[in-house]
Every structure is written in C-alpha cells, then in structure tokens.
Amino acid sequence: MSRNRSEELMEMEHEYGAHNYHPLEVVISKAEGIWVEDPEGRRYMDMLSAYSAVNQGHRHPKIIKALKDQADILTLTSRAFFNDRWPVFAKKLADFTGKEMILPMNTGAEAVETALKTMRKWGYMVKGVEKDKAEIIVFENNFHGRTITIISFSIDPDATDYYGPFTPGFKVVPYDDLEAVEKAVTKNTVGIMVEPIQGEAGVVVPSDGFLKGLETIARKHNVLLAIDEIQTGFCRTGKNFAFQHEGIDPDIIIMGKALGGGVFPVSAIAANKDVLGVFKPGTHGSTFGGNPLACAVASAAIDVLVDEKMVERAAEMGKYFMDGIKAIQSPKIKLVRGKGLLIGVVLNESAGKARLYTTALKEKGLLCKETHDWIIRFAPPLVITKQEIDQALKTIQEVFASTPIPCV
Ligand SMILES: *Cc1c(COP(=O)(O)O)cnc(C)c1O
C-alpha cells in the first residue's frame, strides 16, 4: 500500500530527528487563525496553540505584515550597535507590563535564566548576601524550561535523569503552600520564582490568595518575586498577565511564547530600575536578543492583543468553554479547572490514559495535548468564536461518550 505524504514525513522525522518528543500523529503543513491543515487537506481545530505561543491565532495578518515589512528593511544588528526597533519595542513592553525596563532574550528558558541571574546579582549587589550563598525558592512540579540550571530544580525524573551534576542554590517547596515558603526563607534568600498557574503540571490553579501571600512574604523578607508568565501571559487567562487576578505587583515578569506572535521566539523580562539596574555592559546578553525583526513582530503581537481586546475575549470565551466542558456529564471526567482559555480536564483513573482521548479528538479534527497521563489541556488561540467553541464541545462530548474504557 502506498504511503501518503503525512506518513512519509512522520517516518522521515522518526529516522532523522532526535526522539525528544512524542507528537500526536498529525502533520501540519498550513494554518490560519485557529485552523491547521495536513498535507492531505484534512482540517483540524488547534486547541493547543503551540503551548500558548499562538494566542493571536496562526499567521495573524497584522503580525505577518510586520514580519514581511521589517524583513525588507533590517533584520539583525546585534547589540553592538543601536537599532531603530529595539527602543520602540522596549517602551511598548514596559508600558504593557507597567515596569520601567525590559531585558530582551529569545526563548522562554533564556528569559528564566535571565530572571535567575537578576535575582542573584540583586541579592549580592543590593541586598548584601554573602558571595555564592544566594538561594532562590521555587515550587514542586514547576516547569520553567530545559537548561541545566532550570532542570536543576525540576522534580520530574524525565527532565532530570542523567543530566547531573546540577546547579545548586535552589529550594523546592510544595506549590500553593505559603507556610512552606515562609519556612524556606533564610537570610540568603534572594528570590521566589513561581508560575501563577502551573501549565505543564496540568493547569494547576493555586488557591485564591497564594500569589498575594507570596508578595507579602517577599516584601517582609526583602526578597524579589519573579512570576513566570511565559505560558499564562498575554491575555491567555483573561488578564494581560495571570498575576493580575490577584492584583499583585511582582518585581520581575518573565515572558515568552505569545510575545513572538506565533512567528518565532521572542522573550524578555520586565522589572523596575532598582532591579534591572544591576546589569552593566558585558555582564549578560544575547546575540539575537532585541533584534529588529523580533522587535517588529513582538510589537505587532502586543498591538493585536490590545487592539482586538483579546483579554476580554479570553475571559468571555474561556468562561463559555469551561461551562460547556463542565456540562459534559461523563464519569470519565474527574474535574475541570483553569482560567480564561487555559483549561485542564482531569480524568478519573478508570477513564484510561489521556492519550487515548487526545488521539480520538484528533481523529475527529480537534488537536490538543495530554499533560501527564491523566490531564488534557485545552488552550485554543484567543480569536476563537462561540460557534467554534460549540463545534469543539460537540466533538469533546462525542469522544467522551464513545471512547471505550480500555483494559489496563
Ligand atoms: C514553555 C515554558 C517555558 C520555556 O519556554 P521555552 O521557549 O520552551 O524555552 C518556561 N516557563 C513556562 C511556564 C513555560 O510554559
């Protein structure tokens, strides 16, 4: 039997690409808005949004125009020289975050590394912590990226096995446990880094007041609070940033994913001058950080979010979608949680593995991904309409009604 193009490509990837992912068996060769298409012309609704990197929808016309226009003028200068895009983008992102300064990088992991370096440097230069003694508090089941330092405080064996030795200086405490944080603080603590909702852990939403409590502890002990908004930021949860649900003012905001408008990696941290001021020329950097092409794209990515009121859309559509999923009465669903258009469906043990359901959903034209074996995450682009959500709900309903409970 002859293979179709999708099968050929999947085989080719299996042969030549390292196996560090386990993708669903679908090849995407085209996309627009919330829709993607495979080489055979089958259309799918994208309910993952590249882990929230495509909040604005695939190939948003204003973002693609910014990309093309800038590509015709200037793409890369390095920071050895000024360029005419970075200052404009820095001001825009500073305004959007309410912070005084921006430090640009490329991937999310680099922005996290930048936040860690900032907290340590601030700890030594401003707080006066003894050399090489700085401690940073992080949380169980965290996901902040894949560098050696970042996985040094992961508790997921898949992320850490055979990668040691690890970077010291981190204390891991239970998520959503303020008492544990308070106990972990010492005179050497320079920072607390937290996800406002733990996306990779399975859309784990902490109790109301947890972030507020972290802010209180940080202020009391003269410690910096860094919020990792890489997945939750840029309107995903129905606020510009998820920490705004609790009205707090973190010292460092870590951003990535949707900042690149679904085009390519753009990341940054935002903070005030008393914090980001610790950097002097030559002490940190990135060849591509702040490049004109990235700045043009990221500026358009922010404009689109603001102009198209995606924060309201995410709140409204998120509630509609969440209510719809909750209304699906299935013994396979244990609970539904999330905020805005970041939704996790936790399965009962008897339901079998989440992969069964994401595969069945794919067969019916809906793409989403399991996190762990028992959670399905739904995070469509924020441009999704009510009718499209209705269509998705119908598909989800059908899959939960029909997928047989497998023998385990
Ligand atoms: C995706 C993600 C990262 C890492 O971003 P990369 O661009 O993959 O390096 C860090 N933190 C959170 C919360 C994320 O979701």
Side-chain angles (χ1 to χ4, degrees):
M1 214 182 81
S2 77
R3 296 168 309 161
N4 65 27
R5 186 63 181 150
S6 286
E7 286 161 342
E8 274 172 27
L9 289 163
M10 288 189 279
E11 244 171 65
M12 200 186 291
E13 171 170 327
H14 191 78
E15 179 67 22
Y16 296 105
H19 298 176
N20 57 330
Y21 278 89
H22 180 37
L24 277 187
E25 292 192 4
V26 56
V27 176
I28 297 170
S29 55
K30 253 189 189 180
E32 186 176 2
I34 69 155
W35 296 97
V36 301
E37 198 176 308
D38 73 9
E40 287 71 45
R42 275 183 296 255
R43 268 159 60 88
Y44 303 85
M45 195 186 279
D46 180 5
M47 285 250 166
L48 180 66
S49 308
Y51 303 95
S52 294
V54 192
N55 286 2
Q56 300 88 343
H58 290 275
R59 295 192 309 106
H60 191 290
K62 284 189 187 148
I63 299 172
I64 297 302
K65 182 170 188 313
L67 173 76
K68 288 180 174 171
D69 288 351
Q70 188 60 38
D72 278 337
I73 304 170
L74 175 71
T75 56
L76 183 62
T77 57
S78 86
R79 298 282 304 282
F81 313 114
F82 287 86
N83 72 63
D84 68 345
R85 278 291 175 180
W86 156 233
V88 179
F89 167 59
K91 179 176 189 313
K92 188 183 285 287
L93 190 55
D95 290 345
F96 188 79
T97 55
K99 292 291 177 194
E100 292 169 352
M101 277 184 152
I102 305 296
L103 198 160
M105 298 296 281
N106 310 285
T107 65
E110 287 173 303
V112 170
E113 290 269 351
T114 301
L116 299 174
K117 286 171 96 171
T118 305
M119 291 189 279
R120 283 186 172 184
K121 218 173 178 99
W122 175 89
Y124 299 123
M125 292 176 61
V126 179
K127 184 170 176 173
V129 170
E130 192 186 330
K131 186 171 179 286
D132 293 344
K133 290 281 187 342
E135 292 167 8
I136 293 171
I137 297 171
V138 292
F139 295 89
E140 284 175 6
N141 301 314
N142 69 73
F143 181 84
H144 295 286
R146 300 291 196 170
T147 66
I148 294 271
T149 287
I150 294 170
I151 61 150
S152 293
F153 49 82
S154 170
I155 63 161
D156 175 3
D158 283 343
T160 59
D161 279 358
Y162 301 106
Y163 291 131
F166 299 111
T167 308
F170 299 95
K171 274 196 182 166
V172 186
V173 304
Y175 193 60
D176 203 15
D177 184 344
L178 289 170
E179 219 169 286
V181 177
E182 181 80 53
K183 271 199 199 129
V185 176
T186 71
K187 67 179 193 323
N188 294 326
T189 307
V190 297
I192 302 169
M193 181 169 71
V194 68
E195 297 160 86
I197 293 173
Q198 289 187 323
E200 293 315 293
V203 193
V204 179
V205 183
S207 315
D208 287 345
F210 175 59
L211 297 178
K212 187 86 203 153
L214 289 182
E215 185 185 49
T216 305
I217 292 170
R219 297 288 165 269
K220 179 173 149 200
H221 297 283
N222 191 26
V223 163
L224 296 180
L225 178 60
I227 307 271
D228 182 345
E229 290 274 1
I230 292 170
Q231 185 161 155
T232 47
F234 300 105
C235 310
R236 171 57 56 191
T237 70
K239 297 274 183 192
N240 285 351
F241 295 103
F243 69 75
Q244 292 168 338
H245 288 286
E246 297 213 348
I248 64 164
D249 181 22
D251 300 289
I252 300 174
I253 305 168
I254 309 170
M255 297 161 282
K257 294 205 167 113
L259 183 57
V263 172
F264 55 61
V266 184
S267 70
I269 71 166
N272 284 341
K273 289 179 178 166
D274 56 342
V275 174
L276 266 184
V278 296
F279 289 108
K280 300 288 176 256
T283 59
H284 187 49
S286 161
T287 304
F288 281 83
N291 75 77
L293 194 58
C295 292
V297 163
S299 296
I302 295 172
D303 286 344
V304 163
L305 291 171
V306 174
D307 295 348
E308 302 190 9
K309 301 192 166 47
M310 290 212 191
V311 75
E312 286 91 346
R313 287 194 65 84
E316 192 190 328
M317 293 299 142
K319 182 172 185 324
Y320 185 71
F321 195 17
M322 176 104 83
D323 287 348
I325 299 176
K326 280 183 176 161
I328 297 174
Q329 295 290 332
S330 167
K332 291 159 187 159
I333 298 176
K334 186 173 179 182
L335 63 106
V336 184
R337 64 193 179 200
K339 273 202 174 117
L341 278 170
L342 182 58
I343 299 170
V345 174
V346 184
L347 303 180
N348 272 315
E349 222 165 287
S350 60
K353 289 192 172 174
R355 181 88 178 187
L356 277 172
Y357 297 87
T358 54
T359 303
L361 287 164
K362 181 213 56 163
E363 293 301 322
K364 288 181 177 288
L366 194 159
L367 298 185
C368 60
K369 196 71 167 61
E370 67 279 1
T371 83
H372 301 294
D373 278 343
W374 60 94
I375 301 156
I376 305 170
R377 169 175 35 195
F378 293 103
L382 310 182
V383 293
I384 195 165
T385 64
K386 226 171 201 175
Q387 287 93 313
E388 288 161 340
I389 291 177
D390 285 336
Q391 186 181 335
L393 285 168
K394 190 163 162 281
T395 306
I396 296 166
Q397 158 101 54
E398 281 167 14
V399 162
F400 276 104
S402 66
T403 304
I405 295 176
C407 313
V408 198

